[in-house]
């Protein structure tokens, strides 16, 4: 097994060291048998009790996110002090429910959606957009595909637009409109005042804004 591992290490060489030239390693190998015959160069410490009797506990507090007010109201009935915010929270919470301390959102035309925070939202966008099954969708299609996968957060559409704008492949290979611009054509009307039009020009020199001219065409 050692030879197999050494083959993966470049420029490795095995040397044989005689026992009289490696006395310290020989003394360490006898440490578990007899400690009275060890020389003063070997230091050791005896533990009276195992060091793993008291396992350490690390308390991690999760930061507040957009789900915190909903979870607090559904679990404990906690509402904001502002009456308008409290009324809005009651109205919005009607579509949410808790299951095993996880917030979910009810929908009409889609399955129940799991609510996620910012970090999980970025992971969902990345996997759906360019993951193993991703196809670099546009922003609107990307947001709806994430919803169909069963995930939700309030700013999903805005985050999808921002994510697509930062995707280099979408910017390089996105479809570019290739329609040739054409000159405006004449407008025909069957009766007088049947067609009205507006020409918008601007900004006009020396003045901010645009200039609007109304015109009408008729056939006499």
């Amino acid at each position: 097994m050692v030879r197999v591992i050494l083959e993966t290490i470049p420029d490795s060489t095995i040397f044989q060291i005689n026992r009289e030239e490696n006395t310290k390693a020989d003394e360490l190998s006898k440490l578990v048998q007899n400690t009275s015959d060890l020389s003063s160069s070997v230091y050791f410490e005896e533990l009276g009790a195992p060091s793993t009797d008291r396992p350490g506990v690390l308390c991690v507090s999760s930061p507040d996110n957009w789900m915190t007010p909903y979870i607090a109201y559904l679990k404990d009935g906690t509402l904001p002090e502002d009456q308008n915010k409290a009324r809005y929270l009651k109205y919005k919470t009607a579509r949410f429910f808790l299951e095993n301390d996880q917030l979910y959102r009810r929908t009409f035309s889609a399955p129940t959606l799991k609510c996620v925070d910012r970090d999980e939202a970025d992971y969902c966008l990345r996997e759906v957009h360019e993951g193993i099954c991703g196809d670099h969708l546009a922003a609107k299609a990307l947001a709806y595909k994430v919803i169909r996968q069963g995930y939700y957060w309030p700013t999903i559409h805005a985050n999808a637009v921002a994510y697509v704008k930062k995707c280099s492949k979408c910017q390089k290979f996105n479809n570019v409109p290739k329609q040739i611009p054409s000159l405006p054509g004449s407008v025909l009307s069957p009766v007088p005042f049947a067609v009205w039009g507006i020409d918008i020009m601007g900004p006009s020199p020396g003045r901010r804004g645009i200039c609007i001219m109304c015109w009408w065409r008729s056939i006499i």
Side-chain angles (χ1 to χ4, degrees):
M1 184 63 184
V2 176
R3 295 183 180 274
V4 175
I5 297 176
L6 289 177
E7 290 178 357
T8 60
I9 303 175
D11 300 333
S12 60
T13 308
I14 301 176
F15 295 96
Q16 182 178 359
I17 301 176
N18 296 327
R19 180 174 297 180
E20 59 272 9
E21 298 176 1
N22 197 14
T23 56
K24 185 174 294 186
D26 189 35
E27 291 178 350
L28 291 175
S29 65
K30 299 177 181 178
L31 181 61
V32 295
Q33 300 177 1
N34 187 10
T35 59
S36 60
D37 298 336
L38 295 177
S39 63
S40 59
S41 62
V42 179
Y43 300 94
F44 63 94
E45 180 183 0
E46 294 183 0
L47 297 178
S51 59
T52 57
D53 286 345
R54 288 187 175 183
V57 178
L58 179 62
C59 298
V60 179
S61 58
S62 59
D64 294 341
N65 49 44
W66 70 272
M67 297 182 289
T68 303
Y70 297 93
I71 296 176
Y73 176 68
L74 291 173
K75 291 183 67 175
D76 307 324
T78 305
L79 289 172
E81 297 181 357
D82 190 355
Q83 294 183 357
N84 294 330
K85 293 182 179 179
R87 189 182 303 109
Y88 179 77
L89 180 61
K90 287 183 179 180
Y91 170 75
K92 296 292 289 184
T93 311
R95 294 188 177 182
F96 295 87
F97 68 94
L98 280 176
E99 184 175 348
N100 297 329
D101 293 335
Q102 174 62 49
L103 188 66
Y104 294 89
R105 186 177 187 271
R106 301 183 181 92
T107 58
F108 298 102
S109 58
T112 302
L113 305 179
K114 178 183 178 181
C115 300
V116 297
D117 56 7
R118 179 66 183 180
D119 295 335
E120 292 178 323
D122 293 339
Y123 177 77
C124 292
L125 290 175
R126 182 172 61 255
E127 286 297 319
V128 174
H129 185 70
E130 54 185 349
I132 188 172
C133 296
D135 50 1
H136 290 274
L137 300 171
K140 186 176 181 180
L142 173 62
Y144 282 111
K145 189 172 182 179
V146 172
I147 293 175
R148 289 196 302 269
Q149 296 300 319
Y151 299 98
Y152 171 80
W153 63 95
T155 58
I156 181 172
H157 293 280
N159 295 147
V161 172
Y163 189 86
V164 171
K165 287 182 178 180
K166 293 186 295 183
C167 180
S168 59
K169 293 183 179 179
C170 290
Q171 303 303 320
K172 290 179 181 179
F173 304 105
N174 194 15
N175 294 329
V176 179
K178 299 179 181 180
Q179 184 177 2
I180 301 175
S182 59
L183 296 175
S186 59
V187 180
L188 301 177
S189 58
V191 293
F193 304 104
V195 178
W196 289 80
I198 298 178
D199 291 334
I200 301 178
M201 299 182 302
S204 58
R207 182 181 300 177
R208 288 187 175 183
I210 57 176
C211 179
I212 301 177
M213 296 187 301
C214 297
W215 53 270
W216 61 273
R217 296 193 177 196
S218 63
I219 299 176
I220 304 177

